[in-house]
């Protein structure tokens, strides 16, 4: 899945705090990896060779395998998500661990390993980590024992609690003392009280909810159905549903990116045997809709560089060797092609 947006309420609060202190406290200089773009390479199943690349869109410099380069050991996992909280990056591997690095130099600060099964994403509230996890597969490859793992300490440690949730939790969103959970298998948004470490409320939403995002001051969740996609927003003062809308876009995947001018980009795929992949472009606020904005084969990740107004598509190349990232301008003209790691699947933009 895509790399997460920062929790916007906390980001606003942090910005205000930083502004209030700017007269007395000098700004911390940015580290080597706190500018540009991080490219997430998932890696191949069995090889567990996920890694992160760093790309500077100004100079064009591409640095490979920065976790291994800075820590003198391979990442050794399938990289599922990257989440930033303050000066820490949480690298979530769906092979059962979370690595925590300093955002500036990518050097290890700690980890969560052991007692995780298939982690998907992470949220931070206070000094606690909340990790969505599919849990183990049963004999029919279902995940009836999905959970949110709770860890005390921003630099990781042991799992102290597992909060049972609906099957296949994906994205998480922290708001105040609560964490919202996208329950993709059962069409639910479950809200956890992080102090009590229990589910406070459950909302039914259409489709399979995948990812939270903020737009125009509202919190939304993106869900996919068989022949259409859905967007649901929420009232955060009482955790009720606000606006629901949808688009008749079939074969949507969970890949989504957010461009300038309120534009949203999603990937679609016909799957085996044709693998006709495409990018649709649209807005929640007007009638703009282009179902076949771009097309290709093997699109595995998508992102938008708002600073430079560029759309980035990641191509897995069948997980046979290195993948590629293709960079397009806002008129869908190809500008650059990068050779990256195995199974590129997402991006983090500074």
């Amino acid at each position: 899945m895509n790399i997460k947006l920062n929790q916007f309420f906390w980001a606003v609060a942090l910005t205000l705090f930083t502004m209030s202190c700017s007269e007395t406290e000098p700004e911390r200089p940015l580290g080597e990896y706190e500018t540009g773009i991080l490219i997430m390479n998932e890696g191949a199943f069995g090889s567990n060779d996920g890694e992160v690349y760093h790309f500077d869109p100004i100079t064009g410099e591409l640095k490979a395998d920065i976790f291994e380069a800075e820590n003198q050991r391979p990442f050794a996992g399938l990289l599922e998500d990257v989440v930033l909280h303050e000066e820490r990056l949480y690298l979530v591997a769906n092979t059962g661990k979370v690595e925590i690095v300093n955002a500036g130099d990518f050097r290890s600060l700690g980890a969560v390993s052991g007692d995780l099964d298939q982690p998907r994403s992470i949220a931070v509230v206070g000094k606690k980590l909340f990790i969505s996890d599919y849990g183990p597969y049963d004999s029919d490859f279902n995940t009836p024992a999905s959970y949110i793992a709770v860890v005390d300490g921003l630099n990781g440690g042991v799992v102290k609690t597992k909060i049972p949730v609906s099957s296949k939790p994906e994205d998480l969103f922290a708001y105040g003392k609560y964490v919202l959970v996208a329950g993709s298998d059962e069409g639910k948004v479950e809200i956890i009280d992080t102090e009590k470490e229990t589910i406070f409320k459950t909302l039914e939403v259409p489709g399979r909810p995948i990812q939270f995002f903020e737009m125009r001051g509202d919190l939304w969740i993106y869900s996919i159905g068989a022949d259409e996609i859905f967007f649901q927003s929420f009232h955060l003062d009482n955790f009720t549903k606000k606006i629901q809308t949808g688009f008749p876009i079939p074969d949507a995947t969970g890949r989504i990116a957010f461009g300038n001018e309120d534009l949203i980009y999603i990937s679609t795929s016909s799957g085996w045997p044709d693998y006709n992949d495409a990018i649709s472009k649209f807005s929640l606020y007007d009638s703009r809709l282009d179902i076949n904005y771009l097309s290709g084969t093997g699109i595995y990740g998508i992102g938008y560089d708002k600073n430079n107004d560029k759309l980035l598509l990641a191509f897995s190349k069948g997980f046979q060797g290195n993948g590629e990232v293709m960079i397009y301008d806002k008129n869908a003209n190809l500008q650059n092609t990068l050779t990256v790691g195995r199974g590129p699947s997402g991006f983090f933009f500074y």
Side-chain angles (χ1 to χ4, degrees), residues 216 245-249 261-264 280-291:
R216 292 194 183 181
T245 188
F247 295 85
I249 301 177
E261 301 176 351
D262 294 328
L263 286 169
I264 298 175
S280 296
K281 178 181 72 171
F282 55 92
S283 171
L284 294 177
Y285 305 104
D286 56 44
S287 59
R288 285 177 289 178
L289 174 60
D290 186 348
I291 291 181

Side-chain angles (χ1 to χ4, degrees), residues 208-285:
R208 295 176 48 234
I210 301 294
Q211 184 169 335
F212 294 103
F213 65 96
E214 184 271 340
M215 190 168 283
R216 292 194 183 181
D218 283 324
L219 176 65
W220 295 83
I221 194 163
Y222 165 52
S223 301
I224 58 177
D227 298 309
E228 58 186 321
I229 61 175
F230 305 96
F231 295 90
Q232 174 70 62
S233 66
F234 304 93
H235 296 284
L236 289 174
D237 56 344
N238 58 8
F239 295 112
T240 56
K241 294 190 286 186
K242 185 177 181 181
I243 300 170
Q244 180 183 314
T245 188
F247 295 85
I249 301 177
D251 301 322
T253 72
R255 311 298 189 185
I256 185 169
F258 307 97
N260 293 316
E261 301 176 351
D262 294 328
L263 286 169
I264 298 175
Y265 301 79
I266 67 163
S267 67
T268 61
S269 179
S270 64
W272 187 88
D274 299 320
Y275 289 106
N276 294 319
D277 300 340
I279 300 299
S280 296
K281 178 181 72 171
F282 55 92
S283 171
L284 294 177
Y285 305 104

Side-chain angles (χ1 to χ4, degrees), residues 74-124:
F75 178 73
L78 296 180
L79 186 56
E80 179 65 31
D81 200 6
V82 174
V83 176
L84 176 68
H85 178 75
E86 296 177 349
E87 297 175 11
R88 295 173 177 84
L89 277 171
Y90 294 86
L91 313 181
V92 181
N94 66 20
T95 38
K97 69 172 181 175
V98 176
E99 294 275 3
I100 304 157
V101 300
N102 178 281
D105 59 20
F106 242 74
R107 292 176 185 169
S108 178
L109 297 172
V112 180
S113 59
D115 214 22
L116 292 174
D117 294 282
Q118 301 179 76
R120 305 294 292 179
S121 191
I122 192 169
V124 182

Side-chain angles (χ1 to χ4, degrees), residues 11 56 62 67 72 82 141 156 168 175 224 240 267 299 340:
D56 186 332
L62 180 67
F67 181 91
Q72 290 75 55
V82 174
F141 293 98
K168 292 185 172 60
Y175 175 68
I224 58 177
T240 56
S267 67
I299 298 174
V340 293

Side-chain angles (χ1 to χ4, degrees), residues 119-133:
R120 305 294 292 179
S121 191
I122 192 169
V124 182
V125 177
K127 301 297 183 182
K128 293 181 182 180
L129 309 180
F130 293 82
I131 304 165
S132 56
D133 197 305

